[in-house]
Amino acid sequence: MLGMKRLLFIVLILFSLRATASHIVGGEFELIHIQELDGIERYRYHLNLIYYFDEDHGDQGNKAQDDTIFVRIFRVVDNELMMDNVAIPFSKETPVSYTQPACSYGGIKTTRQFYTTIITLPPARYNDPEGYYVVWERCCRNYTLNNILSFPPPPRPPDIIAAGQTFYLKFPPVVKDGKPFINSSPSDFPPLRDYACPSKPYYTEFGGTDLDGDKLVYSMVTPYTTNSAESYPVIQPEPYPLITWSSTGSFTFSLDRIMGGNPDLKITPDGYLTVTPGYKTGLYVFAVQCEEYRDGVKIGVTRRDFQLYVSSSCPDAEPPQVTGRKLGDTNFTAVNQSLSVSFPNTASDADRCVEIRVYDPDVLKVKDNYQEVITSLKVIPFNFKKDISGLQSQLPATPLLLTQTDDEKIFSICFPDCPYIEGPFQIGVVAFDDACALPLGDTLLINVNIVPPLDNPPVFTPPAVTEVVPEGTIKTWDIHGTDADGDVLVDSIVGVGFNLQDYGMKYSVVSNTPGDYKAQLEWNTNCLTYDFSYRTHVIVKVYLEDQDHCSFKHPAVMTFDLTIDDGDHDPIIYSPTTDRTDTITFKLLRDGPITFDVKAKDVDNDFIVLSLKGIDFNPTDYNVAFPGASGNGDVTSPFSWPLLCAMISQSDKYEFDFQFTAVDNKNRCHIYRADTLDVIVKVELPDNTAPALTIYNSDTHLPVTDTLSYTLGNKISLDLIGRDADVNPVDFLTTDLIEATGNVLPKGYVFTPNNKLAPTNATFVWQPDCSIFENGIFTNRYTFTFKLADDRCLSSLADTSTVFIKIKDVVSTDKNFIPPNVITPNGDGCNEYFALEDFDSPNPKCQPMPLNGSDPDDDPNNYIGLPKDNCVRRFESIRIYNRWGTQVYSSHSRNFRWYASDVSVGVYFYYITYTDKIYKGSVSVLY
């Protein structure tokens, strides 16, 4: 049963793969904005998909036209699905025609499938600046593609990957900056209409158009495939997989070697596709990316795929040859050479000509029946844009038949006496034949230099006037222009940046006869009639152009440079303590506030206004005080700036240009008159000496210079002293503990930071206990790093100091633990009690007792006290029993005292209990 299931599964897979159509040539999306008739923007668009089908090389048995396709729209910034299963129904199918229908035997037959629908993109939803993209995935491409790995029908190698196509269009939001952003994607892309021939140039226009006039830039890209080999893969968001380039022998195809041509397949930025294929025929797939730019910003991307067929059925053909010669020359130029001619202005129309010869080598071939057809003859301009229909009309009509007995055509082109541009110009004479699949052509470049007829340009006498005109007068200037050739003269008058009538000017022509021109310019400078408040200096240009034979533009120019003098004077602004343009260097924290007075005066006693502005900053943001002033004649205003450190540090600005302005615009003519004073303040960082941090051991009052070693039970106490040499002003110092590390994380210490004027004192205290030891390790090492920082603005400095501390557990030993075994509580002051710690001072008459409590590390032979407590061993109790086992004494204190006052003479037994051990012994009580 399991075997049957497996067989059924394989059959289903093979069936689904065979059902996958292998006919995709390529195609692209279009998103075209719909112009609303009532002027209301409703954000509706035609969403089109153009889909090309290969009728010759596809799997015809599996051709199945899609009645409706379903696409998805995603947001670029996060791949959010915006619109799912957008249905685009089939509209129509049209054949793609050949450039030359006679060449249709070449083995290429393509149909254009067109799908279209209308969608709405609401602005509240489609407003992300990064834009959106619409996508559709379809499998599969032709199985016989030369340059990529496709998906052949079974049986097939297991490592061959299906090659489908992902159709992709990126488009901008429908609103930008709160306003509708109207855009249609590039459209009307032409298909490839023809096949290519091995080792022969192939060329075609492959670019589309843009309805909005946006700039389109084209480039070759690696084609997309699909996410799976299903006929209709589930449409995924970006990124999309790329096709896999194939290999032929040692040659591997790639984006730089799409067809293995020489030169290979390329596209110009403006969409002109060219290639000269290699010798291998067949189908080659490629992809072109069209980027859409508006105002230099990329707003959209269209990807379109296609395939180019290189046919083995190409006839052997050679391009025509276009050569030329000057009149009177015997020989025509060699093939691929240009022709240069010059004509003086004395040349007649009949002499201003060249002869053109058109020839085609195919006319000598029997396979072409000893004849060739020139299908097209054109004259094109190269370095100018002018109507050259007069030259085109002189060419023979096409098509033009060449035969074995009439194998060339010679004709003349004559040029007008006026060149198309001043100086040499270039034209090309182009001929195309009827070769398959594309016509072959040749161009003759002709460099033409025609000296135009003599012409004297017009002149003004005088050519310029510069004058200051008193306000309130009417001034008139006579204008006289002449032309030595007696040509008709045409004038034009321009006020540079202003309208003549608005400024009281009147221009009138007195007379204008061929060769002679007279006019007048009148200026009424009464400021009560005309407003000169924004312009007191004007420039007027008078142009005089003659109507010469060639209409080249060489106008005479008369310039009036005029200024009104209203008798008023500019105000004067100054400061008694600064120059006209002064620079003040200010060092923070050292210098006091910047203060000075700003004065302005007006000799006409006009009303003036004194104000301040900061160049590229707002003075009020920096606590600048300048109230300004206004009045007649003389005004004064104080300037004060405390230059607070905090404001400078927040803005990170160190140079300030204060521009003081005195304005007089309430004079009789309301002419704006002003004077400015610039004071530049350059802020320098304050001087600063780094603070110094010294750490002292509180017990010894000595600086810490080495590792501090402590035995558990001793208090660690440090004093941190901060000093700073700066005294003007004294800095605030802050002491911090910035790092505390160890083989066991330190805890339980107390650090008291500070923040006060230098000098400072901070303390560090730690009384560690047994909790600091972990994992049976009883020696810990710690590192504490302290930082002392000053608060000097913009130049703060700091000092750090590190303290290394070693803490070990108390050493506890019973190596020499031999308790006394006799006491004599008889009142003589000697051996009055049984004890093991902190004996009272012995009676001088008594035998000296060993020192109790001494460190065995210091004097191990002079120690009979209790073993010291540590983190492993700790004293718990002492119990004393008589010989009958009755307890006569107990204590939990290490400093116990048994005076045996209520017991009889005899031997008593003690038990000293530690957390890890019990010591047993006896003591005799004697009197």
Side-chain angles (χ1 to χ4, degrees):
M1 186 65 181
L2 178 61
M4 289 297 294
K5 286 184 177 179
R6 224 174 243 167
L7 178 60
L8 177 60
F9 178 69
I10 294 173
V11 169
L12 288 175
I13 289 179
L14 295 180
F15 177 77
S16 66
L17 293 179
R18 285 184 178 274
T20 301
S22 63
H23 55 246
I24 294 179
V25 171
E28 67 276 343
F29 277 114
E30 295 177 344
L31 186 64
I32 309 300
H33 179 257
I34 299 174
Q35 299 293 334
E36 303 297 343
L37 296 179
D38 54 8
I40 300 176
E41 179 55 59
R42 292 192 175 90
Y43 305 99
R44 297 197 308 149
Y45 295 80
H46 286 292
L47 178 58
N48 306 328
L49 181 114
I50 292 90
Y51 173 24
Y52 293 96
F53 180 84
D54 187 345
E55 300 283 354
D56 275 353
H57 302 94
D59 186 352
Q60 301 304 308
N62 289 329
K63 178 181 178 182
Q65 178 178 287
D66 300 303
D67 293 330
T68 302
I69 66 170
F70 296 91
V71 305
R72 282 182 167 182
I73 298 178
F74 296 91
R75 186 165 55 204
V76 170
V77 68
D78 56 5
N79 286 326
E80 176 74 17
L81 180 62
M82 304 297 294
M83 198 179 295
D84 194 11
N85 288 328
V86 182
I88 310 180
F90 175 78
S91 176
K92 60 182 177 180
E93 175 182 282
T94 55
V96 175
S97 61
Y98 279 75
T99 301
Q100 297 194 110
C103 298
S104 60
Y105 60 82
I108 177 170
K109 184 178 180 182
T110 306
T111 55
R112 180 180 186 265
Q113 318 287 326
F114 184 74
Y115 296 77
T116 185
T117 190
I118 293 177
I119 63 172
T120 299
L121 304 177
R125 183 166 172 80
Y126 289 86
N127 55 19
D128 190 273
E130 296 298 319
Y132 304 84
Y133 60 96
V134 56
V135 66
W136 181 53
E137 297 185 36
R138 184 69 162 97
C139 186
C140 290
R141 301 176 188 268
N142 286 333
Y143 298 147
T144 56
L145 293 170
N146 288 33
N147 57 342
I148 71 171
L149 297 182
S150 190
F151 206 115
R156 57 188 167 275
D159 58 342
I160 297 299
I161 303 172
Q165 179 177 345
T166 296
F167 295 74
Y168 177 94
L169 169 69
K170 177 184 174 183
F171 59 92
V174 299
V175 291
K176 277 189 177 182
D177 301 324
K179 299 178 181 179
F181 189 79
I182 307 303
N183 181 69
S184 294
S185 72
S187 57
D188 296 330
F189 290 101
L192 295 189
R193 301 179 179 277
D194 307 291
Y195 57 87
C197 297
S199 303
K200 291 189 177 181
Y202 179 89
Y203 54 90
T204 187
E205 291 284 354
F206 203 59
T209 59
D210 192 276
L211 299 176
D212 309 301
D214 296 325
K215 182 179 180 181
L216 303 182
V217 179
Y218 297 86
S219 60
M220 307 299 301
V221 290
T222 301
Y224 286 151
T225 183
T226 49
N227 285 286
S228 72
E230 300 299 322
S231 296
Y232 299 94
V234 177
I235 299 173
Q236 303 292 331
E238 294 183 291
Y240 298 109
L242 303 176
I243 56 88
T244 302
W245 298 103
S246 63
S247 299
T248 300
S250 61
F251 182 87
T252 299
F253 293 97
S254 66
L255 182 58
D256 296 326
R257 300 190 292 183
I258 296 175
M259 296 180 62
N262 186 22
D264 205 74
L265 187 64
K266 300 293 182 185
I267 193 167
T268 63
D270 55 356
Y272 193 71
L273 198 72
T274 60
V275 65
T276 300
Y279 68 91
K280 188 171 179 60
T281 61
L283 287 171
Y284 296 85
V285 70
F286 65 92
V288 167
Q289 177 172 275
C290 174
E291 297 174 299
E292 183 182 9
Y293 289 84
R294 184 175 299 181
D295 298 326
V297 178
K298 184 167 71 173
I299 62 173
V301 175
T302 301
R303 288 181 65 105
R304 62 185 314 236
D305 282 22
F306 224 89
Q307 64 188 30
L308 178 59
Y309 178 56
V310 179
S311 174
S312 60
S313 302
C314 297
D316 183 22
E318 296 183 56
Q321 298 174 2
V322 184
T323 55
R325 67 183 178 189
K326 303 175 186 178
L327 290 182
D329 285 355
T330 303
N331 297 322
F332 287 93
T333 59
V335 176
N336 297 326
Q337 283 186 343
S338 61
L339 175 65
S340 297
V341 292
S342 295
F343 303 103
N345 55 15
T346 57
S348 65
D349 292 343
D351 293 332
R352 211 178 301 109
C353 305
V354 295
E355 287 186 314
I356 309 297
R357 173 181 180 265
V358 178
Y359 170 76
D360 195 308
D362 291 333
V363 76
L364 302 178
K365 297 177 181 178
V366 62
K367 67 178 184 61
D368 291 319
N369 296 320
Y370 300 108
Q371 64 181 26
E372 188 70 7
V373 175
I374 303 300
T375 59
S376 175
L377 280 173
K378 295 181 180 178
V379 179
I380 57 175
F382 278 165
N383 64 337
F384 65 96
K385 292 183 179 180
K386 289 287 185 69
D387 179 16
I388 58 171
S389 57
L391 298 180
Q392 183 69 35
S393 64
Q394 300 179 50
L395 300 181
T398 52
L400 195 63
L401 180 63
L402 301 180
T403 64
Q404 189 176 19
T405 58
D406 186 14
D407 61 355
E408 66 179 17
K409 299 295 181 181
I410 298 176
F411 52 90
S412 297
I413 294 179
C414 295
F415 302 100
D417 59 346
C418 290
Y420 293 101
I421 58 174
E422 291 191 78
F425 61 89
Q426 292 179 329
I427 65 167
V429 179
V430 184
F432 286 97
D433 64 11
D434 60 349
C436 288
L438 291 174
L440 300 178
D442 188 30
T443 301
L444 171 66
L445 178 64
I446 306 177
N447 301 291
V448 184
N449 182 27
I450 298 175
V451 180
L454 290 175
D455 178 67
N456 294 293
V459 294
F460 279 113
T461 306
V465 173
T466 300
E467 193 168 334
V468 176
V469 181
E471 185 272 330
T473 61
I474 297 178
K475 177 69 177 181
T476 302
W477 293 271
D478 291 327
I479 300 169
H480 187 205
T482 59
D483 185 90
D485 303 314
D487 292 330
V488 174
L489 299 172
V490 178
D491 63 357
S492 60
I493 304 90
V494 176
V496 179
F498 72 100
N499 187 290
L500 272 66
Q501 290 79 10
D502 294 342
Y503 279 77
M505 290 186 170
K506 183 190 300 183
Y507 190 86
S508 57
V509 177
V510 176
S511 64
N512 187 0
T513 59
D516 191 78
Y517 175 87
K518 293 179 181 179
Q520 277 190 344
L521 176 65
E522 178 183 285
W523 191 18
N524 183 346
T525 62
N526 190 330
C527 68
L528 300 181
T529 304
Y530 299 98
D531 183 5
F532 301 112
S533 60
Y534 295 101
R535 189 187 298 269
T536 59
H537 172 245
V538 298
I539 294 178
V540 178
K541 291 183 178 291
V542 181
Y543 297 91
L544 197 60
E545 180 65 78
D546 63 348
Q547 298 294 296
D548 63 279
H549 177 65
C550 291
S551 297
F552 292 136
K553 303 298 182 183
H554 297 287
V557 182
M558 185 176 184
T559 302
F560 290 86
D561 189 335
L562 308 176
T563 303
I564 289 180
D565 180 9
D566 64 346
D568 200 35
H569 298 84
D570 291 339
I572 299 174
I573 189 172
Y574 63 99
S575 173
T577 56
T578 64
D579 294 330
R580 293 291 298 165
T581 300
D582 206 354
T583 299
I584 298 175
T585 300
F586 184 93
K587 182 161 287 189
L588 285 170
L589 303 182
R590 184 193 68 188
D591 299 334
I594 300 176
T595 60
F596 53 85
D597 289 336
V598 179
K599 298 178 176 291
K601 62 182 178 180
D602 188 278
V603 297
D604 305 306
N605 203 37
D606 290 333
F607 184 85
I608 56 177
V609 177
L610 183 60
S611 61
L612 165 67
K613 73 173 181 178
I615 305 302
D616 298 327
F617 72 100
N618 187 349
T620 58
D621 293 342
Y622 290 84
N623 205 32
V624 173
F626 186 78
S630 62
N632 290 82
D634 293 272
V635 293
T636 302
S637 179
F639 174 90
S640 177
W641 190 18
L643 212 59
L644 300 179
C645 178
M647 292 185 177
I648 302 299
S649 61
Q650 290 171 5
S651 66
D652 197 28
K653 181 177 175 65
Y654 301 97
E655 185 169 317
F656 300 83
D657 186 352
F658 294 95
Q659 188 173 89
F660 303 89
T661 305
V663 176
D664 164 21
N665 61 356
K666 294 188 178 181
N667 49 65
R668 176 179 180 272
C669 291
H670 295 283
I671 293 174
Y672 180 88
R673 299 186 182 280
D675 190 21
T676 59
L677 169 68
D678 281 272
V679 177
I680 299 174
V681 177
K682 292 185 177 180
V683 179
E684 293 185 353
L685 300 182
D687 297 327
N688 192 20
T689 302
L693 175 63
T694 306
I695 301 178
Y696 294 89
N697 188 328
S698 302
D699 295 332
T700 64
H701 303 290
L702 296 175
V704 177
T705 59
D706 204 349
T707 299
L708 298 176
S709 297
Y710 290 89
T711 300
L712 195 70
N714 295 318
K715 181 174 72 173
I716 303 170
S717 182
L718 305 175
D719 292 320
L720 293 85
I721 307 300
R723 300 180 178 87
D724 193 285
D726 297 313
V727 295
N728 185 23
V730 177
D731 290 335
F732 269 85
L733 301 180
T734 300
T735 310
D736 285 314
L737 174 60
I738 61 175
E739 186 177 36
T741 61
N743 57 301
V744 175
L745 186 67
K747 54 187 176 181
Y749 57 83
V750 177
F751 172 71
T752 306
N754 61 18
N755 181 8
K756 62 181 183 178
L757 289 172
T760 63
N761 182 35
T763 59
F764 175 89
V765 178
W766 191 13
Q767 184 78 51
D769 56 27
C770 288
S771 64
I772 70 170
F773 298 124
E774 296 178 359
N775 302 321
I777 298 174
F778 296 97
T779 299
N780 288 356
R781 295 182 180 274
Y782 299 96
T783 301
F784 296 90
T785 302
F786 301 90
K787 179 180 179 181
L788 177 70
D790 64 24
D791 68 338
R792 187 144 295 209
C793 69
L794 303 175
S795 59
S796 176
L797 296 174
D799 185 25
T800 58
S801 184
T802 301
V803 176
F804 302 96
I805 297 177
K806 180 177 77 171
I807 303 176
K808 64 179 181 178
D809 198 2
V810 175
V811 176
S812 179
T813 179
D814 56 8
K815 179 179 179 182
N816 297 302
F817 178 44
I818 305 176
N821 57 6
V822 176
I823 60 173
T824 59
N826 55 15
D828 63 359
C830 297
N831 297 323
E832 292 289 333
Y833 54 83
F834 180 60
L836 295 174
E837 290 281 320
D838 295 334
F839 286 103
D840 297 334
S841 298
N843 187 330
K845 299 178 182 181
C846 301
Q847 180 180 358
M849 295 295 292
L851 294 175
N852 288 312
S854 60
D855 192 333
D857 288 345
D858 297 333
D859 189 3
N861 296 318
N862 193 30
Y863 180 80
I864 65 170
L866 286 168
K868 291 186 176 183
D869 286 346
N870 63 14
C871 294
V872 175
R873 171 181 296 167
R874 290 185 299 279
F875 173 85
E876 290 188 341
S877 66
I878 180 170
R879 290 171 292 135
I880 301 177
Y881 298 87
N882 62 20
R883 60 186 177 182
W884 294 284
T886 301
Q887 181 174 302
V888 297
Y889 178 79
S890 68
S891 175
H892 292 284
S893 172
R894 290 177 62 93
N895 297 328
F896 68 88
R897 299 285 186 270
W898 183 45
Y899 289 93
S901 57
D902 55 353
V903 299
S904 59
V905 173
V907 177
Y908 293 83
F909 302 94
Y910 60 81
Y911 290 83
I912 300 173
T913 302
Y914 273 77
T915 55
D916 64 339
K917 190 174 183 180
I918 296 177
Y919 296 94
K920 302 176 182 179
S922 64
V923 57
S924 296
V925 178
L926 303 176
Y927 291 95

